[in-house]
Amino acid sequence: MPLAAPGAAPVIGVLLVDDHPLVRAGLAGLIGSTTEDISVVGEAGGGEEAIRLASELQPDVVLMDLSMPGPDGIESTRRLFAGGYDGAVVVLTSFKETDRVSEALGAGAIGYLLKDSEPGDVLAAIRAAAAGHAPLDPRIARALLPDRAPAPGAGLSARELQVLRLVARGLANKQIARRLEISERTVKVHLGNVFRRIGVTDRTSAAIWARDHLPAEDA
């Protein structure tokens, strides 16, 4: 992870994973020429290389393609977290199918973007993921939302409800992790699940949802 200058905001380290060199070059150029708070720390053209580099470099965010040589993006994501990676994975792919989206999120990815996204949306998603939010392409988010609004707390596990309550009280991920005696990475995974199930993309919206939908003693 790159170091920021004294007094400056932390720099977000990103690992680019895509089997097309032109795609990686385009993303690296976008990040290098338009941002000061994001830095490309490595590039991988396949799943095995991605797993190795993520372990070595510990980037804040892995921008992960789904279709590539070796383990695909879903399996690579699963193996990253099984190996102790503690950052965030954002999928960047051309696949829109709901089952692929669900598989990727189930493997631990916190965000999902399509390759025809605007450049600014990709940068915003990297920043959001690094902050613990769950950036989803609006087209993907709509496909994942239920046909009707969920009943209060519907679909959330007991642990996810605990995390949501603490978010509503203003606790940061590190504080939640200490309070529940779990890792910060586990908190991020729970938050990603909560965001998707209640149809929001950030902590503020989740806190508002909790105040509006959970009983007073639970919010």
Side-chain angles (χ1 to χ4, degrees):
M1 183 172 62
L3 297 177
V11 177
I12 301 167
V14 178
L15 173 64
L16 304 177
V17 183
D18 196 292
D19 62 334
H20 291 98
L22 277 176
V23 173
R24 298 198 307 273
L27 289 168
L30 169 68
I31 292 170
S33 64
T34 63
T35 71
E36 295 182 355
D37 61 326
I38 306 173
S39 175
V40 175
V41 298
E43 300 182 20
E48 294 289 356
E49 186 180 18
I51 294 166
R52 177 179 60 80
L53 287 178
S55 176
E56 292 176 2
L57 302 172
Q58 288 296 310
D60 300 295
V61 177
V62 176
L63 208 55
M64 180 77 75
D65 189 19
L66 288 189
S67 179
M68 56 187 175
D72 65 10
I74 294 171
E75 178 60 21
S76 295
T77 298
R78 188 176 292 115
R79 286 171 56 180
L80 277 180
F81 293 124
Y85 173 62
D86 198 35
V89 171
V90 175
V91 170
L92 181 62
T93 183
S94 57
F95 293 107
K96 301 179 182 179
E97 294 82 2
T98 304
D99 58 341
R100 298 298 296 274
V101 177
S102 297
E103 284 185 77
L105 298 178
I110 197 172
Y112 199 105
L113 299 179
L114 299 176
K115 284 187 173 178
D116 60 356
S117 298
E118 293 293 328
D121 292 338
V122 175
L123 298 177
I126 292 171
R127 295 184 179 106
H133 303 319
L136 294 176
D137 187 293
R139 294 163 290 181
I140 298 300
R142 283 194 293 271
L144 292 176
L145 286 176
D147 293 332
R148 58 183 179 82
L156 296 177
S157 70
R159 180 64 90 187
E160 288 162 356
L161 282 170
Q162 285 181 309
V163 171
L164 178 56
R165 292 175 193 135
L166 295 175
V167 166
R169 292 171 187 164
L171 273 68
N173 285 357
K174 284 187 177 180
Q175 294 172 306
I176 295 172
R178 286 196 296 267
R179 178 76 63 88
L180 300 180
E181 297 183 341
I182 58 179
S183 71
E184 193 173 349
R185 165 62 203 162
T186 301
V187 173
K188 290 180 182 179
V189 171
H190 287 316
L191 270 180
N193 291 337
V194 168
F195 291 165
R196 289 187 289 273
R197 287 172 181 158
I198 66 177
V200 303
T201 59
D202 58 70
R203 300 172 77 88
T204 301
S205 298
I208 293 171
W209 188 97
R211 289 196 292 268
D212 290 345
H213 291 84
L214 295 182
E217 63 271 18
D218 288 341

